[in-house]
mmCIF file with all atom_site columns, all heavy atoms in Angstrom:
data_model
loop_
_atom_site.group_PDB
_atom_site.id
_atom_site.type_symbol
_atom_site.label_atom_id
_atom_site.label_alt_id
_atom_site.label_comp_id
_atom_site.label_asym_id
_atom_site.label_entity_id
_atom_site.label_seq_id
_atom_site.pdbx_PDB_ins_code
_atom_site.Cartn_x
_atom_site.Cartn_y
_atom_site.Cartn_z
_atom_site.occupancy
_atom_site.B_iso_or_equiv
_atom_site.pdbx_formal_charge
_atom_site.auth_seq_id
_atom_site.auth_comp_id
_atom_site.auth_asym_id
_atom_site.auth_atom_id
_atom_site.pdbx_PDB_model_num
ATOM 1   N N   . THR A 1 92  ? 55.620 59.484 38.428 1.00 0.00 ? 92  THR A N   1
ATOM 2   C CA  . THR A 1 92  ? 56.334 60.515 39.170 1.00 0.00 ? 92  THR A CA  1
ATOM 3   C C   . THR A 1 92  ? 55.649 60.744 40.503 1.00 0.00 ? 92  THR A C   1
ATOM 4   O O   . THR A 1 92  ? 54.426 60.652 40.606 1.00 0.00 ? 92  THR A O   1
ATOM 5   C CB  . THR A 1 92  ? 56.428 61.839 38.381 1.00 0.00 ? 92  THR A CB  1
ATOM 6   O OG1 . THR A 1 92  ? 57.127 62.802 39.161 1.00 0.00 ? 92  THR A OG1 1
ATOM 7   C CG2 . THR A 1 92  ? 55.073 62.371 37.980 1.00 0.00 ? 92  THR A CG2 1
ATOM 8   N N   . ASP A 1 93  ? 56.467 60.994 41.533 1.00 0.00 ? 93  ASP A N   1
ATOM 9   C CA  . ASP A 1 93  ? 55.892 61.319 42.848 1.00 0.00 ? 93  ASP A CA  1
ATOM 10  C C   . ASP A 1 93  ? 56.321 62.723 43.278 1.00 0.00 ? 93  ASP A C   1
ATOM 11  O O   . ASP A 1 93  ? 56.238 63.070 44.432 1.00 0.00 ? 93  ASP A O   1
ATOM 12  C CB  . ASP A 1 93  ? 56.275 60.278 43.900 1.00 0.00 ? 93  ASP A CB  1
ATOM 13  C CG  . ASP A 1 93  ? 57.735 60.350 44.338 1.00 0.00 ? 93  ASP A CG  1
ATOM 14  O OD1 . ASP A 1 93  ? 58.475 61.237 43.865 1.00 0.00 ? 93  ASP A OD1 1
ATOM 15  O OD2 . ASP A 1 93  ? 58.138 59.517 45.157 1.00 0.00 ? 93  ASP A OD2 1
ATOM 16  N N   . GLY A 1 94  ? 56.812 63.498 42.328 1.00 0.00 ? 94  GLY A N   1
ATOM 17  C CA  . GLY A 1 94  ? 57.277 64.844 42.629 1.00 0.00 ? 94  GLY A CA  1
ATOM 18  C C   . GLY A 1 94  ? 58.779 64.916 42.693 1.00 0.00 ? 94  GLY A C   1
ATOM 19  O O   . GLY A 1 94  ? 59.394 65.697 42.003 1.00 0.00 ? 94  GLY A O   1
ATOM 20  N N   . ARG A 1 95  ? 59.408 64.080 43.515 1.00 0.00 ? 95  ARG A N   1
ATOM 21  C CA  . ARG A 1 95  ? 60.869 64.077 43.655 1.00 0.00 ? 95  ARG A CA  1
ATOM 22  C C   . ARG A 1 95  ? 61.522 62.982 42.821 1.00 0.00 ? 95  ARG A C   1
ATOM 23  O O   . ARG A 1 95  ? 62.596 63.156 42.277 1.00 0.00 ? 95  ARG A O   1
ATOM 24  C CB  . ARG A 1 95  ? 61.253 63.901 45.123 1.00 0.00 ? 95  ARG A CB  1
ATOM 25  C CG  . ARG A 1 95  ? 62.731 64.156 45.392 1.00 0.00 ? 95  ARG A CG  1
ATOM 26  C CD  . ARG A 1 95  ? 63.086 64.087 46.860 1.00 0.00 ? 95  ARG A CD  1
ATOM 27  N NE  . ARG A 1 95  ? 63.438 62.766 47.319 1.00 0.00 ? 95  ARG A NE  1
ATOM 28  C CZ  . ARG A 1 95  ? 64.609 62.175 47.087 1.00 0.00 ? 95  ARG A CZ  1
ATOM 29  N NH1 . ARG A 1 95  ? 65.522 62.769 46.368 1.00 0.00 ? 95  ARG A NH1 1
ATOM 30  N NH2 . ARG A 1 95  ? 64.863 60.970 47.560 1.00 0.00 ? 95  ARG A NH2 1
ATOM 31  N N   . LYS A 1 96  ? 60.887 61.829 42.714 1.00 0.00 ? 96  LYS A N   1
ATOM 32  C CA  . LYS A 1 96  ? 61.418 60.692 41.965 1.00 0.00 ? 96  LYS A CA  1
ATOM 33  C C   . LYS A 1 96  ? 60.578 60.472 40.713 1.00 0.00 ? 96  LYS A C   1
ATOM 34  O O   . LYS A 1 96  ? 59.363 60.614 40.736 1.00 0.00 ? 96  LYS A O   1
ATOM 35  C CB  . LYS A 1 96  ? 61.399 59.422 42.817 1.00 0.00 ? 96  LYS A CB  1
ATOM 36  C CG  . LYS A 1 96  ? 62.287 59.508 44.037 1.00 0.00 ? 96  LYS A CG  1
ATOM 37  C CD  . LYS A 1 96  ? 62.168 58.250 44.856 1.00 0.00 ? 96  LYS A CD  1
ATOM 38  C CE  . LYS A 1 96  ? 62.950 58.387 46.161 1.00 0.00 ? 96  LYS A CE  1
ATOM 39  N NZ  . LYS A 1 96  ? 62.730 57.236 47.038 1.00 0.00 ? 96  LYS A NZ  1
ATOM 40  N N   . VAL A 1 97  ? 61.285 60.095 39.634 1.00 0.00 ? 97  VAL A N   1
ATOM 41  C CA  . VAL A 1 97  ? 60.616 59.882 38.354 1.00 0.00 ? 97  VAL A CA  1
ATOM 42  C C   . VAL A 1 97  ? 61.107 58.579 37.750 1.00 0.00 ? 97  VAL A C   1
ATOM 43  O O   . VAL A 1 97  ? 62.312 58.301 37.725 1.00 0.00 ? 97  VAL A O   1
ATOM 44  C CB  . VAL A 1 97  ? 60.905 61.051 37.381 1.00 0.00 ? 97  VAL A CB  1
ATOM 45  C CG1 . VAL A 1 97  ? 60.203 60.835 36.046 1.00 0.00 ? 97  VAL A CG1 1
ATOM 46  C CG2 . VAL A 1 97  ? 60.494 62.380 38.000 1.00 0.00 ? 97  VAL A CG2 1
ATOM 47  N N   . LEU A 1 98  ? 60.159 57.769 37.258 1.00 0.00 ? 98  LEU A N   1
ATOM 48  C CA  . LEU A 1 98  ? 60.478 56.532 36.547 1.00 0.00 ? 98  LEU A CA  1
ATOM 49  C C   . LEU A 1 98  ? 60.239 56.772 35.063 1.00 0.00 ? 98  LEU A C   1
ATOM 50  O O   . LEU A 1 98  ? 59.172 57.271 34.674 1.00 0.00 ? 98  LEU A O   1
ATOM 51  C CB  . LEU A 1 98  ? 59.610 55.377 37.042 1.00 0.00 ? 98  LEU A CB  1
ATOM 52  C CG  . LEU A 1 98  ? 59.849 54.040 36.332 1.00 0.00 ? 98  LEU A CG  1
ATOM 53  C CD1 . LEU A 1 98  ? 61.233 53.491 36.678 1.00 0.00 ? 98  LEU A CD1 1
ATOM 54  C CD2 . LEU A 1 98  ? 58.765 53.039 36.694 1.00 0.00 ? 98  LEU A CD2 1
ATOM 55  N N   . PHE A 1 99  ? 61.227 56.417 34.252 1.00 0.00 ? 99  PHE A N   1
ATOM 56  C CA  . PHE A 1 99  ? 61.147 56.564 32.801 1.00 0.00 ? 99  PHE A CA  1
ATOM 57  C C   . PHE A 1 99  ? 61.139 55.200 32.128 1.00 0.00 ? 99  PHE A C   1
ATOM 58  O O   . PHE A 1 99  ? 61.872 54.291 32.545 1.00 0.00 ? 99  PHE A O   1
ATOM 59  C CB  . PHE A 1 99  ? 62.378 57.318 32.270 1.00 0.00 ? 99  PHE A CB  1
ATOM 60  C CG  . PHE A 1 99  ? 62.475 58.737 32.712 1.00 0.00 ? 99  PHE A CG  1
ATOM 61  C CD1 . PHE A 1 99  ? 63.166 59.071 33.865 1.00 0.00 ? 99  PHE A CD1 1
ATOM 62  C CD2 . PHE A 1 99  ? 61.888 59.750 31.971 1.00 0.00 ? 99  PHE A CD2 1
ATOM 63  C CE1 . PHE A 1 99  ? 63.275 60.387 34.277 1.00 0.00 ? 99  PHE A CE1 1
ATOM 64  C CE2 . PHE A 1 99  ? 61.996 61.071 32.371 1.00 0.00 ? 99  PHE A CE2 1
ATOM 65  C CZ  . PHE A 1 99  ? 62.682 61.394 33.528 1.00 0.00 ? 99  PHE A CZ  1
ATOM 66  N N   . ASN A 1 100 ? 60.366 55.064 31.070 1.00 0.00 ? 100 ASN A N   1
ATOM 67  C CA  . ASN A 1 100 ? 60.514 53.961 30.123 1.00 0.00 ? 100 ASN A CA  1
ATOM 68  C C   . ASN A 1 100 ? 61.472 54.478 29.062 1.00 0.00 ? 100 ASN A C   1
ATOM 69  O O   . ASN A 1 100 ? 61.272 55.569 28.510 1.00 0.00 ? 100 ASN A O   1
ATOM 70  C CB  . ASN A 1 100 ? 59.173 53.582 29.495 1.00 0.00 ? 100 ASN A CB  1
ATOM 71  C CG  . ASN A 1 100 ? 58.258 52.913 30.488 1.00 0.00 ? 100 ASN A CG  1
ATOM 72  O OD1 . ASN A 1 100 ? 58.686 52.142 31.340 1.00 0.00 ? 100 ASN A OD1 1
ATOM 73  N ND2 . ASN A 1 100 ? 56.976 53.214 30.402 1.00 0.00 ? 100 ASN A ND2 1
ATOM 74  N N   . VAL A 1 101 ? 62.524 53.714 28.796 1.00 0.00 ? 101 VAL A N   1
ATOM 75  C CA  . VAL A 1 101 ? 63.537 54.138 27.838 1.00 0.00 ? 101 VAL A CA  1
ATOM 76  C C   . VAL A 1 101 ? 63.674 53.089 26.735 1.00 0.00 ? 101 VAL A C   1
ATOM 77  O O   . VAL A 1 101 ? 63.629 51.890 26.999 1.00 0.00 ? 101 VAL A O   1
ATOM 78  C CB  . VAL A 1 101 ? 64.902 54.388 28.524 1.00 0.00 ? 101 VAL A CB  1
ATOM 79  C CG1 . VAL A 1 101 ? 64.862 55.651 29.367 1.00 0.00 ? 101 VAL A CG1 1
ATOM 80  C CG2 . VAL A 1 101 ? 65.331 53.207 29.387 1.00 0.00 ? 101 VAL A CG2 1
ATOM 81  N N   . THR A 1 102 ? 63.834 53.574 25.509 1.00 0.00 ? 102 THR A N   1
ATOM 82  C CA  . THR A 1 102 ? 64.004 52.687 24.361 1.00 0.00 ? 102 THR A CA  1
ATOM 83  C C   . THR A 1 102 ? 65.029 53.305 23.427 1.00 0.00 ? 102 THR A C   1
ATOM 84  O O   . THR A 1 102 ? 65.003 54.514 23.173 1.00 0.00 ? 102 THR A O   1
ATOM 85  C CB  . THR A 1 102 ? 62.673 52.506 23.597 1.00 0.00 ? 102 THR A CB  1
ATOM 86  O OG1 . THR A 1 102 ? 61.657 52.126 24.521 1.00 0.00 ? 102 THR A OG1 1
ATOM 87  C CG2 . THR A 1 102 ? 62.797 51.435 22.528 1.00 0.00 ? 102 THR A CG2 1
ATOM 88  N N   . ALA A 1 103 ? 65.942 52.483 22.921 1.00 0.00 ? 103 ALA A N   1
ATOM 89  C CA  . ALA A 1 103 ? 66.952 52.935 21.966 1.00 0.00 ? 103 ALA A CA  1
ATOM 90  C C   . ALA A 1 103 ? 66.757 52.192 20.649 1.00 0.00 ? 103 ALA A C   1
ATOM 91  O O   . ALA A 1 103 ? 66.466 50.985 20.635 1.00 0.00 ? 103 ALA A O   1
ATOM 92  C CB  . ALA A 1 103 ? 68.353 52.694 22.507 1.00 0.00 ? 103 ALA A CB  1
ATOM 93  N N   . TYR A 1 104 ? 66.926 52.939 19.550 1.00 0.00 ? 104 TYR A N   1
ATOM 94  C CA  . TYR A 1 104 ? 66.760 52.396 18.203 1.00 0.00 ? 104 TYR A CA  1
ATOM 95  C C   . TYR A 1 104 ? 67.942 52.790 17.341 1.00 0.00 ? 104 TYR A C   1
ATOM 96  O O   . TYR A 1 104 ? 68.520 53.851 17.535 1.00 0.00 ? 104 TYR A O   1
ATOM 97  C CB  . TYR A 1 104 ? 65.521 52.998 17.524 1.00 0.00 ? 104 TYR A CB  1
ATOM 98  C CG  . TYR A 1 104 ? 64.227 52.787 18.240 1.00 0.00 ? 104 TYR A CG  1
ATOM 99  C CD1 . TYR A 1 104 ? 63.798 53.691 19.209 1.00 0.00 ? 104 TYR A CD1 1
ATOM 100 C CD2 . TYR A 1 104 ? 63.429 51.690 17.956 1.00 0.00 ? 104 TYR A CD2 1
ATOM 101 C CE1 . TYR A 1 104 ? 62.594 53.502 19.869 1.00 0.00 ? 104 TYR A CE1 1
ATOM 102 C CE2 . TYR A 1 104 ? 62.225 51.495 18.614 1.00 0.00 ? 104 TYR A CE2 1
ATOM 103 C CZ  . TYR A 1 104 ? 61.816 52.404 19.575 1.00 0.00 ? 104 TYR A CZ  1
ATOM 104 O OH  . TYR A 1 104 ? 60.630 52.215 20.227 1.00 0.00 ? 104 TYR A OH  1
ATOM 105 N N   . ASP A 1 105 ? 68.276 51.935 16.372 1.00 0.00 ? 105 ASP A N   1
ATOM 106 C CA  . ASP A 1 105 ? 69.178 52.359 15.305 1.00 0.00 ? 105 ASP A CA  1
ATOM 107 C C   . ASP A 1 105 ? 68.419 52.244 13.986 1.00 0.00 ? 105 ASP A C   1
ATOM 108 O O   . ASP A 1 105 ? 67.188 52.051 13.998 1.00 0.00 ? 105 ASP A O   1
ATOM 109 C CB  . ASP A 1 105 ? 70.505 51.589 15.319 1.00 0.00 ? 105 ASP A CB  1
ATOM 110 C CG  . ASP A 1 105 ? 70.380 50.108 14.979 1.00 0.00 ? 105 ASP A CG  1
ATOM 111 O OD1 . ASP A 1 105 ? 69.308 49.664 14.512 1.00 0.00 ? 105 ASP A OD1 1
ATOM 112 O OD2 . ASP A 1 105 ? 71.379 49.383 15.164 1.00 0.00 ? 105 ASP A OD2 1
ATOM 113 N N   . GLU A 1 106 ? 69.130 52.330 12.877 1.00 0.00 ? 106 GLU A N   1
ATOM 114 C CA  . GLU A 1 106 ? 68.476 52.298 11.567 1.00 0.00 ? 106 GLU A CA  1
ATOM 115 C C   . GLU A 1 106 ? 67.736 50.988 11.307 1.00 0.00 ? 106 GLU A C   1
ATOM 116 O O   . GLU A 1 106 ? 66.850 50.916 10.458 1.00 0.00 ? 106 GLU A O   1
ATOM 117 C CB  . GLU A 1 106 ? 69.514 52.529 10.456 1.00 0.00 ? 106 GLU A CB  1
ATOM 118 C CG  . GLU A 1 106 ? 70.121 53.918 10.466 1.00 0.00 ? 106 GLU A CG  1
ATOM 119 C CD  . GLU A 1 106 ? 71.404 54.030 11.271 1.00 0.00 ? 106 GLU A CD  1
ATOM 120 O OE1 . GLU A 1 106 ? 71.731 53.116 12.066 1.00 0.00 ? 106 GLU A OE1 1
ATOM 121 O OE2 . GLU A 1 106 ? 72.092 55.048 11.135 1.00 0.00 ? 106 GLU A OE2 1
ATOM 122 N N   . ASN A 1 107 ? 68.086 49.921 12.040 1.00 0.00 ? 107 ASN A N   1
ATOM 123 C CA  . ASN A 1 107 ? 67.480 48.607 11.826 1.00 0.00 ? 107 ASN A CA  1
ATOM 124 C C   . ASN A 1 107 ? 66.374 48.265 12.810 1.00 0.00 ? 107 ASN A C   1
ATOM 125 O O   . ASN A 1 107 ? 65.761 47.209 12.703 1.00 0.00 ? 107 ASN A O   1
ATOM 126 C CB  . ASN A 1 107 ? 68.563 47.516 11.871 1.00 0.00 ? 107 ASN A CB  1
ATOM 127 C CG  . ASN A 1 107 ? 69.570 47.697 10.761 1.00 0.00 ? 107 ASN A CG  1
ATOM 128 O OD1 . ASN A 1 107 ? 69.199 47.855 9.606  1.00 0.00 ? 107 ASN A OD1 1
ATOM 129 N ND2 . ASN A 1 107 ? 70.840 47.715 11.113 1.00 0.00 ? 107 ASN A ND2 1
ATOM 130 N N   . GLY A 1 108 ? 66.134 49.106 13.801 1.00 0.00 ? 108 GLY A N   1
ATOM 131 C CA  . GLY A 1 108 ? 65.075 48.831 14.775 1.00 0.00 ? 108 GLY A CA  1
ATOM 132 C C   . GLY A 1 108 ? 65.553 48.978 16.208 1.00 0.00 ? 108 GLY A C   1
ATOM 133 O O   . GLY A 1 108 ? 66.591 49.591 16.488 1.00 0.00 ? 108 GLY A O   1
ATOM 134 N N   . LYS A 1 109 ? 64.800 48.364 17.119 1.00 0.00 ? 109 LYS A N   1
ATOM 135 C CA  . LYS A 1 109 ? 65.072 48.486 18.551 1.00 0.00 ? 109 LYS A CA  1
ATOM 136 C C   . LYS A 1 109 ? 66.377 47.779 18.915 1.00 0.00 ? 109 LYS A C   1
ATOM 137 O O   . LYS A 1 109 ? 66.596 46.635 18.548 1.00 0.00 ? 109 LYS A O   1
ATOM 138 C CB  . LYS A 1 109 ? 63.919 47.867 19.343 1.00 0.00 ? 109 LYS A CB  1
ATOM 139 C CG  . LYS A 1 109 ? 64.018 48.085 20.847 1.00 0.00 ? 109 LYS A CG  1
ATOM 140 C CD  . LYS A 1 109 ? 62.939 47.341 21.624 1.00 0.00 ? 109 LYS A CD  1
ATOM 141 C CE  . LYS A 1 109 ? 61.566 47.838 21.285 1.00 0.00 ? 109 LYS A CE  1
ATOM 142 N NZ  . LYS A 1 109 ? 60.534 47.234 22.146 1.00 0.00 ? 109 LYS A NZ  1
ATOM 143 N N   . ILE A 1 110 ? 67.220 48.499 19.684 1.00 0.00 ? 110 ILE A N   1
ATOM 144 C CA  . ILE A 1 110 ? 68.476 47.892 20.154 1.00 0.00 ? 110 ILE A CA  1
ATOM 145 C C   . ILE A 1 110 ? 68.521 47.746 21.669 1.00 0.00 ? 110 ILE A C   1
ATOM 146 O O   . ILE A 1 110 ? 69.343 47.012 22.203 1.00 0.00 ? 110 ILE A O   1
ATOM 147 C CB  . ILE A 1 110 ? 69.723 48.665 19.675 1.00 0.00 ? 110 ILE A CB  1
ATOM 148 C CG1 . ILE A 1 110 ? 69.777 50.065 20.300 1.00 0.00 ? 110 ILE A CG1 1
ATOM 149 C CG2 . ILE A 1 110 ? 69.772 48.728 18.156 1.00 0.00 ? 110 ILE A CG2 1
ATOM 150 C CD1 . ILE A 1 110 ? 71.133 50.719 20.221 1.00 0.00 ? 110 ILE A CD1 1
ATOM 151 N N   . GLY A 1 111 ? 67.647 48.457 22.385 1.00 0.00 ? 111 GLY A N   1
ATOM 152 C CA  . GLY A 1 111 ? 67.644 48.385 23.842 1.00 0.00 ? 111 GLY A CA  1
ATOM 153 C C   . GLY A 1 111 ? 66.383 48.974 24.417 1.00 0.00 ? 111 GLY A C   1
ATOM 154 O O   . GLY A 1 111 ? 65.737 49.815 23.788 1.00 0.00 ? 111 GLY A O   1
ATOM 155 N N   . PHE A 1 112 ? 66.033 48.509 25.619 1.00 0.00 ? 112 PHE A N   1
ATOM 156 C CA  . PHE A 1 112 ? 64.819 49.007 26.269 1.00 0.00 ? 112 PHE A CA  1
ATOM 157 C C   . PHE A 1 112 ? 64.876 48.703 27.755 1.00 0.00 ? 112 PHE A C   1
ATOM 158 O O   . PHE A 1 112 ? 65.653 47.852 28.202 1.00 0.00 ? 112 PHE A O   1
ATOM 159 C CB  . PHE A 1 112 ? 63.564 48.366 25.652 1.00 0.00 ? 112 PHE A CB  1
ATOM 160 C CG  . PHE A 1 112 ? 63.520 46.871 25.828 1.00 0.00 ? 112 PHE A CG  1
ATOM 161 C CD1 . PHE A 1 112 ? 62.847 46.300 26.889 1.00 0.00 ? 112 PHE A CD1 1
ATOM 162 C CD2 . PHE A 1 112 ? 64.172 46.033 24.939 1.00 0.00 ? 112 PHE A CD2 1
ATOM 163 C CE1 . PHE A 1 112 ? 62.817 44.922 27.066 1.00 0.00 ? 112 PHE A CE1 1
ATOM 164 C CE2 . PHE A 1 112 ? 64.148 44.654 25.105 1.00 0.00 ? 112 PHE A CE2 1
ATOM 165 C CZ  . PHE A 1 112 ? 63.468 44.104 26.169 1.00 0.00 ? 112 PHE A CZ  1
ATOM 166 N N   . GLY A 1 113 ? 64.027 49.388 28.514 1.00 0.00 ? 113 GLY A N   1
ATOM 167 C CA  . GLY A 1 113 ? 63.945 49.132 29.950 1.00 0.00 ? 113 GLY A CA  1
ATOM 168 C C   . GLY A 1 113 ? 63.429 50.334 30.693 1.00 0.00 ? 113 GLY A C   1
ATOM 169 O O   . GLY A 1 113 ? 62.649 51.135 30.153 1.00 0.00 ? 113 GLY A O   1
ATOM 170 N N   . THR A 1 114 ? 63.881 50.468 31.948 1.00 0.00 ? 114 THR A N   1
ATOM 171 C CA  . THR A 1 114 ? 63.460 51.589 32.787 1.00 0.00 ? 114 THR A CA  1
ATOM 172 C C   . THR A 1 114 ? 64.675 52.263 33.410 1.00 0.00 ? 114 THR A C   1
ATOM 173 O O   . THR A 1 114 ? 65.731 51.652 33.574 1.00 0.00 ? 114 THR A O   1
ATOM 174 C CB  . THR A 1 114 ? 62.507 51.144 33.916 1.00 0.00 ? 114 THR A CB  1
ATOM 175 O OG1 . THR A 1 114 ? 63.185 50.198 34.749 1.00 0.00 ? 114 THR A OG1 1
ATOM 176 C CG2 . THR A 1 114 ? 61.227 50.545 33.361 1.00 0.00 ? 114 THR A CG2 1
ATOM 177 N N   . HIS A 1 115 ? 64.464 53.525 33.761 1.00 0.00 ? 115 HIS A N   1
ATOM 178 C CA  . HIS A 1 115 ? 65.497 54.318 34.428 1.00 0.00 ? 115 HIS A CA  1
ATOM 179 C C   . HIS A 1 115 ? 64.795 55.206 35.451 1.00 0.00 ? 115 HIS A C   1
ATOM 180 O O   . HIS A 1 115 ? 63.785 55.831 35.136 1.00 0.00 ? 115 HIS A O   1
ATOM 181 C CB  . HIS A 1 115 ? 66.257 55.161 33.406 1.00 0.00 ? 115 HIS A CB  1
ATOM 182 C CG  . HIS A 1 115 ? 67.239 56.114 34.007 1.00 0.00 ? 115 HIS A CG  1
ATOM 183 N ND1 . HIS A 1 115 ? 68.128 55.761 34.998 1.00 0.00 ? 115 HIS A ND1 1
ATOM 184 C CD2 . HIS A 1 115 ? 67.472 57.427 33.753 1.00 0.00 ? 115 HIS A CD2 1
ATOM 185 C CE1 . HIS A 1 115 ? 68.863 56.815 35.319 1.00 0.00 ? 115 HIS A CE1 1
ATOM 186 N NE2 . HIS A 1 115 ? 68.476 57.840 34.580 1.00 0.00 ? 115 HIS A NE2 1
ATOM 187 N N   . ARG A 1 116 ? 65.300 55.221 36.675 1.00 0.00 ? 116 ARG A N   1
ATOM 188 C CA  . ARG A 1 116 ? 64.715 56.048 37.733 1.00 0.00 ? 116 ARG A CA  1
ATOM 189 C C   . ARG A 1 116 ? 65.709 57.137 38.110 1.00 0.00 ? 116 ARG A C   1
ATOM 190 O O   . ARG A 1 116 ? 66.906 56.897 38.246 1.00 0.00 ? 116 ARG A O   1
ATOM 191 C CB  . ARG A 1 116 ? 64.380 55.196 38.958 1.00 0.00 ? 116 ARG A CB  1
ATOM 192 C CG  . ARG A 1 116 ? 63.624 55.971 40.041 1.00 0.00 ? 116 ARG A CG  1
ATOM 193 C CD  . ARG A 1 116 ? 63.186 55.075 41.187 1.00 0.00 ? 116 ARG A CD  1
ATOM 194 N NE  . ARG A 1 116 ? 62.296 54.018 40.790 1.00 0.00 ? 116 ARG A NE  1
ATOM 195 C CZ  . ARG A 1 116 ? 60.964 54.132 40.659 1.00 0.00 ? 116 ARG A CZ  1
ATOM 196 N NH1 . ARG A 1 116 ? 60.384 55.283 40.894 1.00 0.00 ? 116 ARG A NH1 1
ATOM 197 N NH2 . ARG A 1 116 ? 60.240 53.103 40.313 1.00 0.00 ? 116 ARG A NH2 1
ATOM 198 N N   . ARG A 1 117 ? 65.179 58.366 38.271 1.00 0.00 ? 117 ARG A N   1
ATOM 199 C CA  . ARG A 1 117 ? 65.978 59.516 38.667 1.00 0.00 ? 117 ARG A CA  1
ATOM 200 C C   . ARG A 1 117 ? 65.280 60.230 39.808 1.00 0.00 ? 117 ARG A C   1
ATOM 201 O O   . ARG A 1 117 ? 64.075 60.043 40.029 1.00 0.00 ? 117 ARG A O   1
ATOM 202 C CB  . ARG A 1 117 ? 66.163 60.491 37.492 1.00 0.00 ? 117 ARG A CB  1
ATOM 203 C CG  . ARG A 1 117 ? 66.853 59.882 36.297 1.00 0.00 ? 117 ARG A CG  1
ATOM 204 C CD  . ARG A 1 117 ? 67.168 60.910 35.236 1.00 0.00 ? 117 ARG A CD  1
ATOM 205 N NE  . ARG A 1 117 ? 68.208 61.838 35.663 1.00 0.00 ? 117 ARG A NE  1
ATOM 206 C CZ  . ARG A 1 117 ? 69.507 61.554 35.686 1.00 0.00 ? 117 ARG A CZ  1
ATOM 207 N NH1 . ARG A 1 117 ? 69.945 60.367 35.326 1.00 0.00 ? 117 ARG A NH1 1
ATOM 208 N NH2 . ARG A 1 117 ? 70.373 62.463 36.082 1.00 0.00 ? 117 ARG A NH2 1
#
Side-chain angles (χ1 to χ4, degrees):
T92 180
D93 72 2
R95 191 175 89 77
K96 297 177 186 174
V97 180
L98 179 68
F99 294 91
N100 289 323
V101 288
T102 308
Y104 302 88
D105 67 12
E106 293 92 346
N107 297 310
K109 187 186 296 187
I110 66 163
F112 62 94
T114 61
H115 174 46
R116 186 175 299 275
R117 300 187 69 77

